[in-house]
mmCIF file of all heavy atoms in Angstrom:
data_model
loop_
_atom_site.group_PDB
_atom_site.id
_atom_site.type_symbol
_atom_site.label_atom_id
_atom_site.label_comp_id
_atom_site.label_asym_id
_atom_site.label_seq_id
_atom_site.Cartn_x
_atom_site.Cartn_y
_atom_site.Cartn_z
ATOM 1 N N GLN I 273 -11.559 -6.436 31.296
ATOM 2 C CA GLN I 273 -10.523 -6.389 32.327
ATOM 3 C C GLN I 273 -11.161 -6.651 33.736
ATOM 4 O O GLN I 273 -10.675 -7.337 34.511
ATOM 5 C CB GLN I 273 -9.801 -4.969 32.168
ATOM 6 C CG GLN I 273 -8.649 -4.917 33.121
ATOM 7 C CD GLN I 273 -7.505 -5.920 32.560
ATOM 8 O OE1 GLN I 273 -7.357 -6.181 31.452
ATOM 9 N NE2 GLN I 273 -6.809 -6.563 33.655
ATOM 10 N N ALA I 274 -12.401 -6.020 33.894
ATOM 11 C CA ALA I 274 -13.072 -6.142 35.168
ATOM 12 C C ALA I 274 -13.436 -7.608 35.397
ATOM 13 O O ALA I 274 -13.289 -8.108 36.593
ATOM 14 C CB ALA I 274 -14.312 -5.264 35.242
ATOM 15 N N LEU I 275 -13.867 -8.348 34.362
ATOM 16 C CA LEU I 275 -14.154 -9.729 34.635
ATOM 17 C C LEU I 275 -12.935 -10.559 34.862
ATOM 18 O O LEU I 275 -12.968 -11.404 35.801
ATOM 19 C CB LEU I 275 -14.825 -10.297 33.277
ATOM 20 C CG LEU I 275 -16.236 -9.669 32.880
ATOM 21 C CD1 LEU I 275 -16.654 -10.059 31.483
ATOM 22 C CD2 LEU I 275 -17.251 -10.082 34.069
ATOM 23 N N VAL I 276 -11.825 -10.255 34.133
ATOM 24 C CA VAL I 276 -10.598 -10.931 34.416
ATOM 25 C C VAL I 276 -10.116 -10.734 35.831
ATOM 26 O O VAL I 276 -9.646 -11.736 36.501
ATOM 27 C CB VAL I 276 -9.516 -10.494 33.403
ATOM 28 C CG1 VAL I 276 -8.099 -11.046 33.764
ATOM 29 C CG2 VAL I 276 -9.851 -10.901 31.962
ATOM 30 N N ASP I 277 -10.232 -9.476 36.326
ATOM 31 C CA ASP I 277 -9.801 -9.144 37.653
ATOM 32 C C ASP I 277 -10.578 -9.930 38.713
ATOM 33 O O ASP I 277 -10.177 -10.266 39.749
ATOM 34 C CB ASP I 277 -9.934 -7.677 37.982
ATOM 35 C CG ASP I 277 -9.020 -6.827 37.160
ATOM 36 O OD1 ASP I 277 -7.998 -7.450 36.646
ATOM 37 O OD2 ASP I 277 -9.138 -5.660 37.093
ATOM 38 N N ARG I 278 -11.906 -10.327 38.369
ATOM 39 C CA ARG I 278 -12.646 -11.108 39.233
ATOM 40 C C ARG I 278 -12.446 -12.649 39.034
ATOM 41 O O ARG I 278 -13.182 -13.426 39.544
ATOM 42 C CB ARG I 278 -14.112 -10.733 39.134
ATOM 43 C CG ARG I 278 -14.492 -9.607 39.916
ATOM 44 C CD ARG I 278 -15.854 -9.055 39.543
ATOM 45 N NE ARG I 278 -16.048 -7.754 40.226
ATOM 46 C CZ ARG I 278 -15.466 -6.634 40.018
ATOM 47 N NH1 ARG I 278 -14.577 -6.602 39.004
ATOM 48 N NH2 ARG I 278 -15.768 -5.507 40.674
ATOM 49 N N GLY I 279 -11.496 -13.003 38.256
ATOM 50 C CA GLY I 279 -11.104 -14.350 38.088
ATOM 51 C C GLY I 279 -11.858 -15.158 37.135
ATOM 52 O O GLY I 279 -11.884 -16.404 37.085
ATOM 53 N N ILE I 280 -12.604 -14.450 36.230
ATOM 54 C CA ILE I 280 -13.343 -15.131 35.144
ATOM 55 C C ILE I 280 -12.441 -15.205 33.889
ATOM 56 O O ILE I 280 -11.748 -14.281 33.624
ATOM 57 C CB ILE I 280 -14.615 -14.301 34.826
ATOM 58 C CG1 ILE I 280 -15.470 -14.232 36.054
ATOM 59 C CG2 ILE I 280 -15.403 -14.945 33.625
ATOM 60 C CD1 ILE I 280 -16.534 -13.214 35.984
ATOM 61 N N THR I 281 -12.399 -16.344 33.282
ATOM 62 C CA THR I 281 -11.568 -16.465 32.133
ATOM 63 C C THR I 281 -12.247 -15.966 30.872
ATOM 64 O O THR I 281 -13.329 -16.363 30.478
ATOM 65 C CB THR I 281 -11.225 -18.005 31.795
ATOM 66 O OG1 THR I 281 -11.729 -18.753 32.885
ATOM 67 C CG2 THR I 281 -9.714 -18.187 31.590
ATOM 68 N N VAL I 282 -11.618 -14.839 30.300
ATOM 69 C CA VAL I 282 -12.185 -14.297 29.054
ATOM 70 C C VAL I 282 -11.066 -14.404 28.066
ATOM 71 O O VAL I 282 -9.838 -14.255 28.380
ATOM 72 C CB VAL I 282 -12.476 -12.807 29.313
ATOM 73 C CG1 VAL I 282 -13.130 -12.270 28.050
ATOM 74 C CG2 VAL I 282 -13.423 -12.657 30.582
ATOM 75 N N PRO I 283 -11.362 -14.781 26.782
ATOM 76 C CA PRO I 283 -10.360 -14.922 25.720
ATOM 77 C C PRO I 283 -9.488 -13.669 25.686
ATOM 78 O O PRO I 283 -10.001 -12.562 25.719
ATOM 79 C CB PRO I 283 -11.118 -15.089 24.521
ATOM 80 C CG PRO I 283 -12.404 -15.626 24.871
ATOM 81 C CD PRO I 283 -12.663 -15.038 26.248
ATOM 82 N N ALA I 284 -8.169 -13.813 25.531
ATOM 83 C CA ALA I 284 -7.283 -12.622 25.526
ATOM 84 C C ALA I 284 -7.222 -11.982 24.165
ATOM 85 O O ALA I 284 -6.293 -12.169 23.400
ATOM 86 C CB ALA I 284 -5.888 -13.091 25.948
ATOM 87 N N ARG I 285 -8.248 -11.374 23.815
ATOM 88 C CA ARG I 285 -8.222 -10.604 22.502
ATOM 89 C C ARG I 285 -9.098 -9.368 22.703
ATOM 90 O O ARG I 285 -9.656 -9.135 23.853
ATOM 91 C CB ARG I 285 -8.838 -11.438 21.462
ATOM 92 C CG ARG I 285 -10.322 -11.801 21.599
ATOM 93 C CD ARG I 285 -10.749 -12.788 20.388
ATOM 94 N NE ARG I 285 -12.141 -13.086 20.542
ATOM 95 C CZ ARG I 285 -13.192 -12.376 20.190
ATOM 96 N NH1 ARG I 285 -13.040 -11.262 19.579
ATOM 97 N NH2 ARG I 285 -14.424 -12.826 20.323
ATOM 98 N N TYR I 286 -9.102 -8.493 21.632
ATOM 99 C CA TYR I 286 -9.826 -7.289 21.751
ATOM 100 C C TYR I 286 -11.334 -7.393 21.569
ATOM 101 O O TYR I 286 -11.787 -8.123 20.746
ATOM 102 C CB TYR I 286 -9.272 -6.274 20.732
ATOM 103 C CG TYR I 286 -9.988 -5.073 20.608
ATOM 104 C CD1 TYR I 286 -9.891 -4.042 21.653
ATOM 105 C CD2 TYR I 286 -10.793 -4.658 19.536
ATOM 106 C CE1 TYR I 286 -10.526 -2.794 21.565
ATOM 107 C CE2 TYR I 286 -11.406 -3.472 19.470
ATOM 108 C CZ TYR I 286 -11.370 -2.553 20.484
ATOM 109 O OH TYR I 286 -11.999 -1.302 20.434
ATOM 110 N N PHE I 287 -12.108 -6.807 22.462
ATOM 111 C CA PHE I 287 -13.550 -6.865 22.382
ATOM 112 C C PHE I 287 -14.085 -5.398 22.204
ATOM 113 O O PHE I 287 -13.752 -4.501 22.959
ATOM 114 C CB PHE I 287 -14.114 -7.349 23.663
ATOM 115 C CG PHE I 287 -13.989 -8.824 23.734
ATOM 116 C CD1 PHE I 287 -12.938 -9.400 24.498
ATOM 117 C CD2 PHE I 287 -15.024 -9.635 23.243
ATOM 118 C CE1 PHE I 287 -12.878 -10.755 24.627
ATOM 119 C CE2 PHE I 287 -14.917 -11.090 23.404
ATOM 120 C CZ PHE I 287 -13.802 -11.585 24.023
ATOM 121 N N THR I 288 -14.913 -5.230 21.121
ATOM 122 C CA THR I 288 -15.675 -4.005 21.094
ATOM 123 C C THR I 288 -16.850 -4.149 22.079
ATOM 124 O O THR I 288 -17.111 -5.232 22.599
ATOM 125 C CB THR I 288 -16.225 -3.770 19.665
ATOM 126 O OG1 THR I 288 -17.131 -4.809 19.367
ATOM 127 C CG2 THR I 288 -15.057 -3.654 18.614
ATOM 128 N N GLU I 289 -17.622 -3.090 22.246
ATOM 129 C CA GLU I 289 -18.712 -3.145 23.157
ATOM 130 C C GLU I 289 -19.693 -4.280 22.818
ATOM 131 O O GLU I 289 -20.179 -5.104 23.550
ATOM 132 C CB GLU I 289 -19.461 -1.862 23.151
ATOM 133 C CG GLU I 289 -19.638 -1.283 24.463
ATOM 134 C CD GLU I 289 -20.093 0.203 24.365
ATOM 135 O OE1 GLU I 289 -19.341 1.080 23.922
ATOM 136 O OE2 GLU I 289 -21.335 0.413 24.696
ATOM 137 N N GLU I 290 -20.061 -4.355 21.461
ATOM 138 C CA GLU I 290 -21.100 -5.335 20.963
ATOM 139 C C GLU I 290 -20.456 -6.741 21.065
ATOM 140 O O GLU I 290 -21.190 -7.631 21.448
ATOM 141 C CB GLU I 290 -21.374 -5.108 19.414
ATOM 142 C CG GLU I 290 -22.153 -3.826 19.159
ATOM 143 C CD GLU I 290 -21.230 -2.692 18.679
ATOM 144 O OE1 GLU I 290 -20.545 -2.874 17.607
ATOM 145 O OE2 GLU I 290 -21.044 -1.734 19.491
ATOM 146 N N GLU I 291 -19.208 -6.921 20.714
ATOM 147 C CA GLU I 291 -18.681 -8.186 20.898
ATOM 148 C C GLU I 291 -18.657 -8.645 22.375
ATOM 149 O O GLU I 291 -18.946 -9.871 22.632
ATOM 150 C CB GLU I 291 -17.146 -8.164 20.388
ATOM 151 C CG GLU I 291 -16.995 -8.148 18.900
ATOM 152 C CD GLU I 291 -15.585 -7.828 18.391
ATOM 153 O OE1 GLU I 291 -14.809 -7.450 19.249
ATOM 154 O OE2 GLU I 291 -15.351 -7.882 17.196
ATOM 155 N N MET I 292 -18.469 -7.810 23.231
ATOM 156 C CA MET I 292 -18.463 -8.162 24.602
ATOM 157 C C MET I 292 -19.938 -8.601 25.057
ATOM 158 O O MET I 292 -20.076 -9.605 25.746
ATOM 159 C CB MET I 292 -17.983 -6.940 25.406
ATOM 160 C CG MET I 292 -17.554 -7.267 26.800
ATOM 161 S SD MET I 292 -15.917 -8.068 26.891
ATOM 162 C CE MET I 292 -16.348 -9.297 28.084
ATOM 163 N N VAL I 293 -20.874 -7.809 24.596
ATOM 164 C CA VAL I 293 -22.307 -8.100 24.917
ATOM 165 C C VAL I 293 -22.544 -9.545 24.383
ATOM 166 O O VAL I 293 -23.155 -10.378 25.073
ATOM 167 C CB VAL I 293 -23.249 -7.133 24.276
ATOM 168 C CG1 VAL I 293 -24.747 -7.618 24.358
ATOM 169 C CG2 VAL I 293 -23.106 -5.735 24.950
ATOM 170 N N ARG I 294 -22.123 -9.833 23.176
ATOM 171 C CA ARG I 294 -22.378 -11.104 22.399
ATOM 172 C C ARG I 294 -21.727 -12.263 23.257
ATOM 173 O O ARG I 294 -22.348 -13.211 23.564
ATOM 174 C CB ARG I 294 -21.909 -11.129 21.033
ATOM 175 C CG ARG I 294 -22.829 -11.797 20.126
ATOM 176 C CD ARG I 294 -22.436 -11.632 18.642
ATOM 177 N NE ARG I 294 -22.326 -10.157 18.253
ATOM 178 C CZ ARG I 294 -21.310 -9.746 17.516
ATOM 179 N NH1 ARG I 294 -20.293 -10.570 17.108
ATOM 180 N NH2 ARG I 294 -21.302 -8.439 17.184
ATOM 181 N N TRP I 295 -20.482 -11.998 23.696
ATOM 182 C CA TRP I 295 -19.747 -13.034 24.358
ATOM 183 C C TRP I 295 -20.442 -13.367 25.682
ATOM 184 O O TRP I 295 -20.558 -14.515 26.018
ATOM 185 C CB TRP I 295 -18.288 -12.565 24.656
ATOM 186 C CG TRP I 295 -17.466 -13.590 25.254
ATOM 187 C CD1 TRP I 295 -16.822 -14.594 24.621
ATOM 188 C CD2 TRP I 295 -17.159 -13.708 26.669
ATOM 189 N NE1 TRP I 295 -16.075 -15.370 25.502
ATOM 190 C CE2 TRP I 295 -16.351 -14.797 26.818
ATOM 191 C CE3 TRP I 295 -17.558 -12.989 27.797
ATOM 192 C CZ2 TRP I 295 -15.838 -15.316 27.984
ATOM 193 C CZ3 TRP I 295 -17.040 -13.451 28.951
ATOM 194 C CH2 TRP I 295 -16.215 -14.605 29.147
ATOM 195 N N ILE I 296 -20.901 -12.274 26.455
ATOM 196 C CA ILE I 296 -21.564 -12.589 27.729
ATOM 197 C C ILE I 296 -22.794 -13.312 27.520
ATOM 198 O O ILE I 296 -23.119 -14.261 28.255
ATOM 199 C CB ILE I 296 -21.823 -11.198 28.505
ATOM 200 C CG1 ILE I 296 -20.503 -10.640 28.894
ATOM 201 C CG2 ILE I 296 -22.645 -11.405 29.681
ATOM 202 C CD1 ILE I 296 -20.568 -9.233 29.381
#
Side-chain angles (χ1 to χ4, degrees):
Chain I
Q273 192 62 36
L275 292 171
V276 171
D277 291 346
R278 275 169 186 71
I280 299 164
T281 352
V282 187
R285 63 181 178 88
Y286 175 69
F287 282 95
T288 62
E289 235 170 290
E290 294 94 65
E291 283 169 351
M292 199 69 224
V293 170
R294 220 173 303 136
W295 184 81
I296 292 173

